[in-house]
Amino acid sequence: MTARRRWIAAALVLVGAACGDIATPIRIDFYEWRLIVPAASGTGNDSLTFHWPKDRLPVRIWVEDSASLPENVPTAIAAWRRAFLYEEFDATIVSDSASADVIVRAGGAPGVQFSRVRLHSALASECAGATDLDISDDHTQLRLPVRMYIDPRSDPNAAGLPECLALTTTHELGHALGIWRHSGVATDLMFADPAVAGPSERDLATAEVIYHLTSNVEPVGP
């Protein structure tokens, strides 16, 4: 799908959104991205959707100098930029973790979470990933920073490790930009255990749709 066709898909979603909440996608070009959690009050569930607002761009990302992260994170940023016609998302690497919106570290996610929600993914033998989201009790705020973990859990010389680290980094950045759910299709990068090198057209279309709908979660801090 071309960028123009993805834009048309997003426009159709906006028309649909004007008529009410979207229960399922109206096209097969994108998938459900919202995080479904027990309601903050009362019964039922809350559907949480998030994207970085324009006044928070570029998203500031601090990257640990390990596990090829300094090479893979800029590549991941460039891969997701492809989803957007009008620079709705952008990110930059910063040197000070204290001012970062997103912190990317090598190694396994800690046993004590920095968050209410942890998205596990990329459960390959070579490497694994996780993203922690610190969501407020009332489900209206995302407390920054978002924390990404890229774990090279195999021998440094293991076959396939560089490819696993690269695709896992791009996958976790997809969560950080707002895809808070895994795709059910194995050919999408946002599948729970991805095997493709970069975002599929469905991944890119999903990201674009998110950034043309209203968020009900806003970033706060650092």
Side-chain angles (χ1 to χ4, degrees):
M1 185 195 298
T2 65
R4 178 177 177 79
R5 288 182 61 197
R6 291 199 304 271
W7 172 250
I8 292 172
L12 290 174
V13 171
L14 287 174
V15 172
C19 300
D21 189 31
I22 302 173
T24 57
I26 60 174
R27 287 171 58 99
I28 62 171
D29 300 316
F30 58 91
Y31 47 82
E32 178 61 78
W33 66 88
R34 296 172 297 179
L35 182 65
I36 309 300
V37 295
S41 61
T43 60
N45 294 319
D46 288 340
S47 299
L48 308 185
T49 186
F50 167 82
H51 64 71
W52 296 93
K54 285 186 177 296
D55 63 2
R56 296 301 300 246
L57 299 181
V59 177
R60 297 164 295 177
I61 303 179
W62 180 87
V63 180
E64 184 176 351
D65 187 6
S66 184
S68 300
L69 291 174
E71 296 78 30
N72 289 335
V73 171
T75 300
I77 293 170
W80 285 111
R81 279 197 192 110
R82 293 178 48 223
F84 304 103
L85 292 175
Y86 302 110
E87 301 180 351
E88 295 95 328
F89 171 79
D90 196 10
T92 189
I93 307 299
V94 297
S95 59
D96 183 3
S97 62
S99 64
D101 302 311
V102 178
I103 290 178
V104 186
R105 292 195 178 276
V112 177
Q113 297 180 202
F114 288 98
S115 66
R116 290 170 52 86
V117 177
R118 173 168 290 169
L119 304 175
H120 288 282
S121 48
L123 305 177
S125 58
E126 299 88 356
C127 70
T131 298
D132 279 0
L133 307 172
D134 188 1
I135 298 171
S136 62
D137 290 342
D138 63 1
H139 299 164
T140 63
Q141 296 181 333
L142 173 64
R143 301 188 186 104
L144 302 178
V146 173
R147 297 177 186 271
M148 290 169 45
Y149 302 96
I150 311 299
D151 185 11
R153 57 185 183 181
S154 61
D155 183 276
N157 298 316
L161 179 59
E163 293 81 5
C164 186
L165 291 173
L167 70 88
T168 301
T169 301
T170 307
H171 175 105
E172 298 305 327
L173 185 61
H175 287 318
L177 69 81
I179 302 178
W180 284 2
R181 200 162 173 172
H182 287 124
S183 163
V185 177
T187 53
D188 294 333
L189 180 69
M190 297 309 294
F191 187 66
D193 189 9
V196 296
S200 68
E201 290 298 328
R202 279 168 37 93
D203 292 319
L204 296 175
T206 301
E208 186 177 38
V209 166
I210 293 169
Y211 278 72
H212 288 88
L213 294 176
T214 301
S215 294
N216 57 13
V217 179
E218 64 174 351
V220 294

